[in-house]
Amino acid sequence: MKIDLEKLKEIVGADNIKNDIADLYIYGSDASVHKGLASVVVRPTTIEQVQAILRYANAELIPVIARGSGSGMSGQVVPIDSGIVMDLKKMNRIIEIRPEDMLCKVEPGVVDDELNRALKPYGLFYPPAPASSRVATIGGEIANNASGIRSVKYGATRDSVLGMKVVLANGDLVNLGSNTRVEASGYQLDRLMVGSEGTLGVIVEATLLLKPLPKFRCLAKASFNELKDAGESISEIIATGAQPSMLELMDNIAITAVNTTLKMGLPDVEAIVMFEADGKVKEAVDAEMKLMKEICEKHNGFGIEMSYDVAERTKLYAGRKKLFAALSRYQMGLSCTSLADDMAVPYSKMAECASKIHEIAKRNNVVMTAYGHCGSGCMHTKILMDPTKKEQWEGAKRAVEEVYDYVRSVGGTTSAEHGIGLSKAPAWKKEKADSLKMLKAIKKALDPNNILNPHKMQDAPEDWVTATELRYPVE
Amino acid sequence: MADKHLKDWKNELNICIRCAYCFEGCPVFKIAGWETDSARGKIILAYGILTGNLKPSQYIADKIFQCTYCRDCSERCSAKVSVVDVLAAARADLVEAGFASDTHKGMAKNVEETGNIFGDKEIKAPVQKGEIPVYIGCQYLARPNQTKMYLKILEKLGVKPLVKDEICCGYPLHALGFRKEFAEHKKKFLELFPEKEIVALCPTCAAFIHEDYKKNVKHITQFILEHLPEKNLGLKATYHDPCDLSRVMNITEEPREILKKLGIELVEMPRNRKTSHCCGGGGGILMSDVKLSDEIGIVRIKQAIETGAPLLITPCPTCEQVLKKAAAVVSEKGDGTIQVKNLSDIVWKALKT
């Protein structure tokens, strides 16, 4: 692939281009198991520069992969066909905060936590809160429709995006959505962009819906000797109409991992459920917490600790927040791989899903954990395995298929919040079999030359194991 | 072999899940902004060398050496990946492959020939007989007035320091990848200091002697706190945690207790203790990349100025040097003023009155 570096230098300046093999290698990775190689990395700082890059790439049929912090777990930003990796982290201005309209406008490279720090003095916050909020960029979160612990009450990114500016494959700039909470005019193109993983356009500005910071927030942790009881507590909390602002599950593998790595001192039990309520009125928060506590106790939950104090809440939640990486220390020789890492199932199936994950892991000789933002139906797992062994990858591949076969069988979905990319694409394509033509038609209409993050989602290779080289050297 | 040292860290490299959480506090990444400059970027480079995907090059060496060793990355890493150990191994492989910079080679030669990093034969420890072995370190030896001040503080507190004709602790050789030279140097150091317990003045020397030589090291702040009487200096100050003291030695409260005992009103920077922001002086970049070191120092000094305190106190000679320079630059630009002082100045001021 021939790329005119001089042309790119004219657009973004020589200081904003990298093409040493070392840079290309680094920008070929993310938090997934995949590995690719970029042809060049460019760092635009203005919308006009993004437009010029796309006009050039579209004319020359060069793939363009837009990238935030590269913290995605499914290979969304791993280049398959080389191409231009567009690092958007330098477009990181908070353009305006309009408390009177409960919205803000930001560039795509703004980091989630930094935005929330800027919003705090206004008594506002941006709710999606993925665990990676300390590094995840707003552009990346929108492209993945990220969500997190508070999605049970405040929804996912899609529920918090009012509008955006997008540069299309041909370099045209379009304004999608509006500055209003509701919009009923025609196709919701802004919503189409949310979760499109950079395959339909490059988001260069976002208008985000803000929420008032709650005055009171109370977090509790309940222990369970049976995973089933924990899952049933979660189902019943939701079914009774309680309104948690967080409802999380951790199984015994997750508990062991955080205790081993982070010396968290969590109780050695089969499962922990964390539940939180927030609001303006303390009595209302108390009532929600009381209801959820009673439900946990009804399902044999015990050792329930509860706190309104910020420091204590942070301590209570720290284990869950740091779980993903901590799983890598579960057992010497096993690495934590982001495989079958994310799914959603109906509430009534939470307990069954968690048990199924353990059962599938055992059958395929890998270790799998069950945890997640179960209050929003989201279940996470990871496959812990020796990534240097070929047979472990074979087991992992079978496990991934079996997990998603189960998820589909109960009416669940392939991705709750981590996206599709490469590693979840085969399962997702099965789930969306009857709408694949529509998906491909949309892609073709908006990106006829297939330059925007090609070979992802509906266009991804059939076998995720061979879709790219694996980041691990397999012996 | 390009991976002679790195291969010992293969498991650690597999444990890194590449979540990028290390971006959050990495001082080099915050300045340069490319992922190549982040801890994750460097870990991926090390992985590339180990797996043979990447051939060692001067560019890769420059990136691997462009780290302050502040360990903020490992502190934030939920898997607790030992980034500094991986990079030290990568540096050793790169040095053996011929990619050491002239500056670093010169420093290694200095240590070998003069026993100190500066290559200055005039730098000598103020040898004296005593009861408690005290290790001063190159940086303080190059600042004889401060060394003298610390020794006077100890004497004033009723302690007789034993000072030997010491040599560099060897940390720079190890950190910059000169493993062969370090192996020889280590023998000499251990012959000179067979004692199991040592009091060290410099945080970096203290951390290294503690971690690598497995000695029971007390940092001077711990020692002072045990013996210090209460005073009332009536000052207001902020405190900068040296990375090696806070993140390696886990010494964050003792210096603060000293300031409290001296009647100093402490105003904390938002990034303090284990989340302290690096001064920019570590990992060898003070010698090899002065511009980057200066820029990181300016970030930190601005954080200190934002506290409103007129004074910043630190017990590390390198942090003091970098932050003093940063304070001068910031002041000259009209972006605020703050005085930077070594803890010894403050303690001695209190004791002599």
Side-chain angles (χ1 to χ4, degrees), chain A residues 330-346:
Chain A
Y330 174 72
Q331 193 179 305
M332 185 68 179
L334 301 187
S335 294
C336 173
T337 61
S338 286
L339 294 171
D341 54 296
D342 166 46
M343 65 210 76
V345 293

Side-chain angles (χ1 to χ4, degrees), chain A residues 23 35 67 70 89 328-329, chain B residues 12 15 35-36 53 59 79:
Chain A
D23 301 303
K35 185 181 76 175
R67 179 182 177 100
K89 286 190 282 296
S328 250
R329 296 271 185 203
Chain B
E12 204 68 10
I15 276 171
E35 291 185 26
T36 317
N53 288 153
Y59 183 80

Side-chain angles (χ1 to χ4, degrees), chain A residues 15-18 20-23 25-27 29-31 35 41 43 67-71 87 89 114 131-132 134-135 261-262 322 324-326 328-329 332-336 387-388 471-473 475, chain B residues 10-24 29-30 32-38 40-42 44-45 47-49 51 53-55 57 59-60 63 75-82:
Chain A
D15 288 347
N16 287 312
I17 290 187
K18 292 272 187 193
D20 189 279
I21 183 70
D23 301 303
Y25 187 72
I26 287 167
Y27 278 87
S29 285
D30 60 5
K35 185 181 76 175
V41 186
R43 203 164 57 168
R67 179 182 177 100
S69 288
S71 54
D87 180 347
K89 286 190 282 296
E114 285 171 14
S132 57
R134 62 182 84 173
V135 293
T261 314
L262 305 165
K322 295 176 173 178
F324 175 27
S328 250
R329 296 271 185 203
M332 185 68 179
L334 301 187
S335 294
C336 173
T388 63
R471 61 156 275 201
Y472 303 94
E475 287 157 4
Chain B
K10 184 178 165 189
N11 188 55
E12 204 68 10
L13 288 164
N14 278 340
I15 276 171
C16 170
I17 54 159
R18 303 188 179 174
C19 61
Y21 290 8
C22 53
F23 287 9
E24 190 185 12
F29 176 67
K30 290 286 175 193
W34 292 99
E35 291 185 26
T36 317
D37 305 299
S38 69
R40 178 175 78 172
K42 292 176 174 77
I44 293 174
L45 290 183
Y47 206 81
I49 294 171
T51 54
N53 288 153
L54 292 175
K55 281 185 189 162
S57 67
Y59 183 80
I60 290 175
K63 291 297 163 190
E75 188 60 35
R76 290 171 200 271
C77 174
S78 309
K80 298 291 167 204
V81 172
S82 313

Side-chain angles (χ1 to χ4, degrees), chain A residues 1-16:
Chain A
M1 183 176 304
K2 192 161 166 37
I3 293 180
D4 185 350
L5 289 179
E6 292 307 313
K7 172 79 181 165
L8 291 174
K9 278 181 196 167
E10 273 173 32
I11 297 171
V12 294
D15 288 347
N16 287 312

Side-chain angles (χ1 to χ4, degrees), chain A residues 7 77 104 146 149 158 227 264 291 313 332 388 408:
Chain A
K7 172 79 181 165
V77 293
C104 68
I149 52 169
R158 187 167 276 135
L227 184 58
M264 296 299 298
L291 175 61
R313 280 194 284 119
M332 185 68 179
T388 63
R408 278 194 305 280

Side-chain angles (χ1 to χ4, degrees), chain A residues 399-452:
Chain A
V400 169
E401 276 172 19
E402 289 175 24
V403 164
Y404 285 123
D405 283 349
Y406 163 77
V407 168
R408 278 194 305 280
S409 75
V410 296
T413 191
T414 312
S415 175
E417 57 180 31
H418 292 177
I420 302 301
L422 293 166
S423 50
K424 288 209 283 295
W428 186 68
K429 283 196 267 187
K430 280 188 194 170
E431 181 194 329
K432 304 293 180 194
D434 58 357
S435 54
L436 269 182
K437 276 187 188 168
M438 269 175 82
L439 292 164
K440 284 175 184 275
I442 291 168
K443 167 75 175 166
K444 184 83 180 165
L446 289 176
D447 180 19
N449 291 329
N450 194 29
I451 63 157
L452 292 171

Side-chain angles (χ1 to χ4, degrees), chain A residues 135-270:
Chain A
V135 293
T137 61
I138 297 298
E141 288 184 12
I142 295 173
N144 283 288
N145 190 19
S147 62
I149 52 169
R150 303 235 151 73
S151 55
V152 59
K153 179 168 180 180
Y154 296 98
T157 297
R158 187 167 276 135
D159 303 300
S160 292
V161 174
L162 297 175
M164 62 184 74
K165 286 183 181 172
V166 176
V167 178
L168 300 175
N170 64 3
D172 285 355
L173 177 69
V174 290
N175 280 282
L176 307 178
S178 68
N179 291 328
T180 58
R181 180 70 184 85
V182 287
E183 188 197 19
S185 318
Y187 303 137
Q188 302 282 286
L189 295 177
D190 54 324
R191 295 197 159 220
L192 176 64
M193 289 294 163
V194 181
S196 64
E197 300 184 8
T199 61
L200 301 180
V202 177
I203 298 155
V204 288
E205 186 183 308
T207 305
L208 307 173
L209 175 68
L210 307 175
K211 295 283 181 188
L213 275 167
K215 199 171 171 193
F216 300 98
R217 196 169 256 166
C218 184
L219 176 66
K221 181 179 78 182
S223 299
F224 293 84
N225 283 329
E226 297 287 339
L227 184 58
K228 189 171 165 286
D229 287 340
E232 284 174 358
S233 299
I234 288 166
S235 302
E236 189 173 333
I237 285 170
I238 297 296
T240 52
Q243 197 176 37
S245 51
M246 181 201 297
L247 186 52
E248 297 281 318
L249 172 76
M250 284 172 77
D251 71 357
N252 61 341
I253 292 168
I255 294 166
T256 304
V258 293
N259 279 343
T260 306
T261 314
L262 305 165
K263 317 285 178 237
M264 296 299 298
L266 294 176
D268 182 18
V269 291
E270 283 301 301

